[in-house]
Amino acid sequence: MKILFIGDVIARTGRRILSGHLAGLRNRLGIDLCIANAENSAGIFGVTRSVVEELRESGVDIMTGGNHIWDKREGIDLLEERDDLLRPANYPPNVPGHGWVVTERGGAPVAVVNLQGRTFMPAIDCPFRAADGILAGLPGDVRVVVVDFHAEATSEKLAMGYYLDGRVSAVAGTHTHVQTADERILSGGTGYITDLGMTGAFDSIIGVRKEQVLNRFLFALPVRFQVADESPCLQGMVVEVDTATGKAVSVERIMEFVDGEGAMS
């Protein structure tokens, strides 16, 4: 089974990349399941009904979230309604939505788990213990398990990778919007990358217009961020998994630019 993890989709720029090119990319790479972090997909912060439908029509099967998944009231309602839209599983009990789901591809069940870190992030429940609880409760026939770990600190992401090594098929970090070059298969057979990056404007500061972020750093005044659109780029990782064992057999970091004529390279 080949699984495509897509880094944080940034507003309309990221959505346009997916709507115009994801179907072709899935076909070219032979993708069975596509997961994308969607917490920044609607106006940079949160999700809306129309945006979620657009992502699904583009070819995203499961949408994960993070600390910004709560930023629009409409998005919170969607978390209650949809099985294909996740929020981090380690938020306190009784918050809306769910943090993991089991789907099926090619006759094989696949669990997709969404967790959020705590270092430099909101103080929520322990993601490591939450992962233990989820894995203990999965049906016995689920061997393929993939985790989106939405976290700020590199050390915490690495710690989660090593903690889950041999127990899940892949751990992919999200949140920082900067792709790391450390994709690998850990010793226990878990595919890993510290951060998938983002799907949005490469010529930007984490998807936002450069001059706006610079002004915020230079003058320390509030700035209304606007999405950038220069050098559109899809970033992520493809993990191939042995469905019999749940182990990763290959990982490939993805960085696909859309050129001026709309082609990916």
PDB file of all heavy atoms in Angstrom, residues 100-123:
ATOM      1  N   TRP A 100      -8.982   9.804  15.658  1.00  0.00           N
ATOM      2  CA  TRP A 100      -8.486   8.714  14.818  1.00  0.00           C
ATOM      3  C   TRP A 100      -9.651   8.071  14.088  1.00  0.00           C
ATOM      4  O   TRP A 100     -10.815   8.202  14.495  1.00  0.00           O
ATOM      5  CB  TRP A 100      -7.703   7.687  15.630  1.00  0.00           C
ATOM      6  CG  TRP A 100      -8.480   7.012  16.733  1.00  0.00           C
ATOM      7  CD1 TRP A 100      -8.702   7.482  17.999  1.00  0.00           C
ATOM      8  CD2 TRP A 100      -9.142   5.743  16.662  1.00  0.00           C
ATOM      9  NE1 TRP A 100      -9.457   6.592  18.716  1.00  0.00           N
ATOM     10  CE2 TRP A 100      -9.733   5.510  17.936  1.00  0.00           C
ATOM     11  CE3 TRP A 100      -9.277   4.777  15.669  1.00  0.00           C
ATOM     12  CZ2 TRP A 100     -10.463   4.358  18.224  1.00  0.00           C
ATOM     13  CZ3 TRP A 100     -10.009   3.624  15.952  1.00  0.00           C
ATOM     14  CH2 TRP A 100     -10.587   3.416  17.215  1.00  0.00           C
ATOM     15  N   VAL A 101      -9.329   7.383  13.020  1.00  0.00           N
ATOM     16  CA  VAL A 101     -10.357   6.717  12.228  1.00  0.00           C
ATOM     17  C   VAL A 101      -9.743   5.493  11.567  1.00  0.00           C
ATOM     18  O   VAL A 101      -8.540   5.470  11.286  1.00  0.00           O
ATOM     19  CB  VAL A 101     -10.944   7.680  11.164  1.00  0.00           C
ATOM     20  CG1 VAL A 101      -9.906   8.022  10.096  1.00  0.00           C
ATOM     21  CG2 VAL A 101     -12.205   7.119  10.533  1.00  0.00           C
ATOM     22  N   VAL A 102     -10.549   4.478  11.347  1.00  0.00           N
ATOM     23  CA  VAL A 102     -10.128   3.304  10.588  1.00  0.00           C
ATOM     24  C   VAL A 102     -10.865   3.310   9.256  1.00  0.00           C
ATOM     25  O   VAL A 102     -12.101   3.390   9.219  1.00  0.00           O
ATOM     26  CB  VAL A 102     -10.406   1.990  11.339  1.00  0.00           C
ATOM     27  CG1 VAL A 102     -10.043   0.786  10.472  1.00  0.00           C
ATOM     28  CG2 VAL A 102      -9.630   1.938  12.648  1.00  0.00           C
ATOM     29  N   THR A 103     -10.113   3.290   8.179  1.00  0.00           N
ATOM     30  CA  THR A 103     -10.673   3.214   6.841  1.00  0.00           C
ATOM     31  C   THR A 103     -10.149   1.951   6.173  1.00  0.00           C
ATOM     32  O   THR A 103      -9.486   1.135   6.815  1.00  0.00           O
ATOM     33  CB  THR A 103     -10.315   4.480   6.026  1.00  0.00           C
ATOM     34  OG1 THR A 103     -10.987   4.449   4.762  1.00  0.00           O
ATOM     35  CG2 THR A 103      -8.814   4.606   5.820  1.00  0.00           C
ATOM     36  N   GLU A 104     -10.455   1.747   4.907  1.00  0.00           N
ATOM     37  CA  GLU A 104     -10.022   0.528   4.217  1.00  0.00           C
ATOM     38  C   GLU A 104      -9.554   0.858   2.816  1.00  0.00           C
ATOM     39  O   GLU A 104     -10.159   1.677   2.124  1.00  0.00           O
ATOM     40  CB  GLU A 104     -11.172  -0.483   4.161  1.00  0.00           C
ATOM     41  CG  GLU A 104     -10.770  -1.844   3.599  1.00  0.00           C
ATOM     42  CD  GLU A 104     -11.899  -2.871   3.661  1.00  0.00           C
ATOM     43  OE1 GLU A 104     -12.349  -3.191   4.769  1.00  0.00           O
ATOM     44  OE2 GLU A 104     -12.322  -3.322   2.579  1.00  0.00           O
ATOM     45  N   ARG A 105      -8.463   0.242   2.421  1.00  0.00           N
ATOM     46  CA  ARG A 105      -7.943   0.390   1.069  1.00  0.00           C
ATOM     47  C   ARG A 105      -7.480  -0.977   0.579  1.00  0.00           C
ATOM     48  O   ARG A 105      -6.678  -1.627   1.229  1.00  0.00           O
ATOM     49  CB  ARG A 105      -6.759   1.379   1.034  1.00  0.00           C
ATOM     50  CG  ARG A 105      -7.169   2.831   1.178  1.00  0.00           C
ATOM     51  CD  ARG A 105      -8.047   3.292   0.020  1.00  0.00           C
ATOM     52  NE  ARG A 105      -8.433   4.681   0.119  1.00  0.00           N
ATOM     53  CZ  ARG A 105      -9.462   5.130   0.811  1.00  0.00           C
ATOM     54  NH1 ARG A 105     -10.204   4.300   1.499  1.00  0.00           N
ATOM     55  NH2 ARG A 105      -9.766   6.419   0.817  1.00  0.00           N
ATOM     56  N   GLY A 106      -8.032  -1.396  -0.558  1.00  0.00           N
ATOM     57  CA  GLY A 106      -7.628  -2.669  -1.148  1.00  0.00           C
ATOM     58  C   GLY A 106      -7.873  -3.856  -0.245  1.00  0.00           C
ATOM     59  O   GLY A 106      -7.109  -4.827  -0.263  1.00  0.00           O
ATOM     60  N   GLY A 107      -8.920  -3.791   0.560  1.00  0.00           N
ATOM     61  CA  GLY A 107      -9.231  -4.884   1.461  1.00  0.00           C
ATOM     62  C   GLY A 107      -8.468  -4.868   2.764  1.00  0.00           C
ATOM     63  O   GLY A 107      -8.685  -5.734   3.616  1.00  0.00           O
ATOM     64  N   ALA A 108      -7.566  -3.902   2.958  1.00  0.00           N
ATOM     65  CA  ALA A 108      -6.767  -3.831   4.180  1.00  0.00           C
ATOM     66  C   ALA A 108      -7.223  -2.649   5.021  1.00  0.00           C
ATOM     67  O   ALA A 108      -7.315  -1.524   4.528  1.00  0.00           O
ATOM     68  CB  ALA A 108      -5.291  -3.696   3.850  1.00  0.00           C
ATOM     69  N   PRO A 109      -7.522  -2.856   6.318  1.00  0.00           N
ATOM     70  CA  PRO A 109      -7.883  -1.731   7.194  1.00  0.00           C
ATOM     71  C   PRO A 109      -6.666  -0.867   7.503  1.00  0.00           C
ATOM     72  O   PRO A 109      -5.550  -1.373   7.664  1.00  0.00           O
ATOM     73  CB  PRO A 109      -8.412  -2.418   8.449  1.00  0.00           C
ATOM     74  CG  PRO A 109      -7.741  -3.746   8.472  1.00  0.00           C
ATOM     75  CD  PRO A 109      -7.532  -4.149   7.037  1.00  0.00           C
ATOM     76  N   VAL A 110      -6.892   0.444   7.583  1.00  0.00           N
ATOM     77  CA  VAL A 110      -5.833   1.409   7.874  1.00  0.00           C
ATOM     78  C   VAL A 110      -6.341   2.356   8.956  1.00  0.00           C
ATOM     79  O   VAL A 110      -7.422   2.932   8.816  1.00  0.00           O
ATOM     80  CB  VAL A 110      -5.445   2.231   6.630  1.00  0.00           C
ATOM     81  CG1 VAL A 110      -4.303   3.176   6.946  1.00  0.00           C
ATOM     82  CG2 VAL A 110      -5.119   1.336   5.460  1.00  0.00           C
ATOM     83  N   ALA A 111      -5.564   2.530  10.009  1.00  0.00           N
ATOM     84  CA  ALA A 111      -5.898   3.507  11.040  1.00  0.00           C
ATOM     85  C   ALA A 111      -5.087   4.781  10.810  1.00  0.00           C
ATOM     86  O   ALA A 111      -3.868   4.716  10.615  1.00  0.00           O
ATOM     87  CB  ALA A 111      -5.615   2.951  12.435  1.00  0.00           C
ATOM     88  N   VAL A 112      -5.767   5.910  10.815  1.00  0.00           N
ATOM     89  CA  VAL A 112      -5.121   7.212  10.733  1.00  0.00           C
ATOM     90  C   VAL A 112      -5.315   7.907  12.078  1.00  0.00           C
ATOM     91  O   VAL A 112      -6.450   8.062  12.539  1.00  0.00           O
ATOM     92  CB  VAL A 112      -5.696   8.066   9.591  1.00  0.00           C
ATOM     93  CG1 VAL A 112      -4.985   9.417   9.526  1.00  0.00           C
ATOM     94  CG2 VAL A 112      -5.584   7.336   8.256  1.00  0.00           C
ATOM     95  N   VAL A 113      -4.221   8.301  12.706  1.00  0.00           N
ATOM     96  CA  VAL A 113      -4.246   8.881  14.052  1.00  0.00           C
ATOM     97  C   VAL A 113      -3.681  10.291  13.999  1.00  0.00           C
ATOM     98  O   VAL A 113      -2.656  10.543  13.366  1.00  0.00           O
ATOM     99  CB  VAL A 113      -3.415   8.024  15.039  1.00  0.00           C
ATOM    100  CG1 VAL A 113      -3.431   8.648  16.431  1.00  0.00           C
ATOM    101  CG2 VAL A 113      -3.929   6.585  15.072  1.00  0.00           C
ATOM    102  N   ASN A 114      -4.346  11.214  14.677  1.00  0.00           N
ATOM    103  CA  ASN A 114      -3.912  12.608  14.758  1.00  0.00           C
ATOM    104  C   ASN A 114      -3.569  12.932  16.208  1.00  0.00           C
ATOM    105  O   ASN A 114      -4.384  12.740  17.106  1.00  0.00           O
ATOM    106  CB  ASN A 114      -5.046  13.506  14.261  1.00  0.00           C
ATOM    107  CG  ASN A 114      -4.647  14.940  13.961  1.00  0.00           C
ATOM    108  OD1 ASN A 114      -5.485  15.743  13.578  1.00  0.00           O
ATOM    109  ND2 ASN A 114      -3.384  15.290  14.093  1.00  0.00           N
ATOM    110  N   LEU A 115      -2.333  13.391  16.459  1.00  0.00           N
ATOM    111  CA  LEU A 115      -1.890  13.766  17.793  1.00  0.00           C
ATOM    112  C   LEU A 115      -1.277  15.158  17.745  1.00  0.00           C
ATOM    113  O   LEU A 115      -0.850  15.617  16.681  1.00  0.00           O
ATOM    114  CB  LEU A 115      -0.856  12.771  18.326  1.00  0.00           C
ATOM    115  CG  LEU A 115      -1.319  11.323  18.521  1.00  0.00           C
ATOM    116  CD1 LEU A 115      -0.121  10.419  18.762  1.00  0.00           C
ATOM    117  CD2 LEU A 115      -2.315  11.228  19.677  1.00  0.00           C
ATOM    118  N   GLN A 116      -1.204  15.822  18.896  1.00  0.00           N
ATOM    119  CA  GLN A 116      -0.612  17.155  18.966  1.00  0.00           C
ATOM    120  C   GLN A 116       0.409  17.216  20.098  1.00  0.00           C
ATOM    121  O   GLN A 116       0.183  16.687  21.190  1.00  0.00           O
ATOM    122  CB  GLN A 116      -1.693  18.207  19.199  1.00  0.00           C
ATOM    123  CG  GLN A 116      -1.177  19.643  19.195  1.00  0.00           C
ATOM    124  CD  GLN A 116      -2.309  20.648  19.246  1.00  0.00           C
ATOM    125  OE1 GLN A 116      -3.195  20.612  18.398  1.00  0.00           O
ATOM    126  NE2 GLN A 116      -2.297  21.532  20.232  1.00  0.00           N
ATOM    127  N   GLY A 117       1.542  17.868  19.826  1.00  0.00           N
ATOM    128  CA  GLY A 117       2.571  18.020  20.834  1.00  0.00           C
ATOM    129  C   GLY A 117       2.215  19.053  21.885  1.00  0.00           C
ATOM    130  O   GLY A 117       1.247  19.808  21.754  1.00  0.00           O
ATOM    131  N   ARG A 118       3.048  19.106  22.935  1.00  0.00           N
ATOM    132  CA  ARG A 118       2.804  20.042  24.046  1.00  0.00           C
ATOM    133  C   ARG A 118       3.926  21.056  24.234  1.00  0.00           C
ATOM    134  O   ARG A 118       3.721  22.075  24.901  1.00  0.00           O
ATOM    135  CB  ARG A 118       2.589  19.263  25.347  1.00  0.00           C
ATOM    136  CG  ARG A 118       1.375  18.374  25.319  1.00  0.00           C
ATOM    137  CD  ARG A 118       1.012  17.850  26.698  1.00  0.00           C
ATOM    138  NE  ARG A 118       2.020  16.948  27.235  1.00  0.00           N
ATOM    139  CZ  ARG A 118       1.902  16.321  28.412  1.00  0.00           C
ATOM    140  NH1 ARG A 118       0.837  16.525  29.162  1.00  0.00           N
ATOM    141  NH2 ARG A 118       2.857  15.508  28.840  1.00  0.00           N
ATOM    142  N   THR A 119       5.102  20.799  23.685  1.00  0.00           N
ATOM    143  CA  THR A 119       6.211  21.733  23.840  1.00  0.00           C
ATOM    144  C   THR A 119       5.977  22.970  22.975  1.00  0.00           C
ATOM    145  O   THR A 119       5.799  22.857  21.756  1.00  0.00           O
ATOM    146  CB  THR A 119       7.532  21.059  23.437  1.00  0.00           C
ATOM    147  OG1 THR A 119       7.704  19.862  24.205  1.00  0.00           O
ATOM    148  CG2 THR A 119       8.710  21.988  23.673  1.00  0.00           C
ATOM    149  N   PHE A 120       5.940  24.151  23.594  1.00  0.00           N
ATOM    150  CA  PHE A 120       5.633  25.428  22.910  1.00  0.00           C
ATOM    151  C   PHE A 120       4.245  25.419  22.266  1.00  0.00           C
ATOM    152  O   PHE A 120       3.991  26.168  21.316  1.00  0.00           O
ATOM    153  CB  PHE A 120       6.687  25.760  21.844  1.00  0.00           C
ATOM    154  CG  PHE A 120       8.099  25.656  22.311  1.00  0.00           C
ATOM    155  CD1 PHE A 120       9.002  24.850  21.633  1.00  0.00           C
ATOM    156  CD2 PHE A 120       8.529  26.337  23.431  1.00  0.00           C
ATOM    157  CE1 PHE A 120      10.326  24.741  22.070  1.00  0.00           C
ATOM    158  CE2 PHE A 120       9.840  26.238  23.876  1.00  0.00           C
ATOM    159  CZ  PHE A 120      10.744  25.429  23.197  1.00  0.00           C
ATOM    160  N   MET A 121       3.352  24.593  22.783  1.00  0.00           N
ATOM    161  CA  MET A 121       1.993  24.455  22.240  1.00  0.00           C
ATOM    162  C   MET A 121       1.000  24.530  23.400  1.00  0.00           C
ATOM    163  O   MET A 121       1.399  24.538  24.570  1.00  0.00           O
ATOM    164  CB  MET A 121       1.854  23.108  21.510  1.00  0.00           C
ATOM    165  CG  MET A 121       2.749  22.953  20.298  1.00  0.00           C
ATOM    166  SD  MET A 121       2.114  23.838  18.857  1.00  0.00           S
ATOM    167  CE  MET A 121       0.898  22.677  18.259  1.00  0.00           C
ATOM    168  N   PRO A 122      -0.315  24.573  23.107  1.00  0.00           N
ATOM    169  CA  PRO A 122      -1.295  24.598  24.191  1.00  0.00           C
ATOM    170  C   PRO A 122      -1.136  23.402  25.137  1.00  0.00           C
ATOM    171  O   PRO A 122      -0.755  22.302  24.721  1.00  0.00           O
ATOM    172  CB  PRO A 122      -2.632  24.536  23.447  1.00  0.00           C
ATOM    173  CG  PRO A 122      -2.339  25.126  22.109  1.00  0.00           C
ATOM    174  CD  PRO A 122      -0.933  24.695  21.781  1.00  0.00           C
ATOM    175  N   ALA A 123      -1.441  23.633  26.406  1.00  0.00           N
ATOM    176  CA  ALA A 123      -1.300  22.587  27.420  1.00  0.00           C
ATOM    177  C   ALA A 123      -2.495  21.638  27.351  1.00  0.00           C
ATOM    178  O   ALA A 123      -3.572  21.929  27.881  1.00  0.00           O
ATOM    179  CB  ALA A 123      -1.195  23.217  28.810  1.00  0.00           C
TER     180      ALA A 123
END
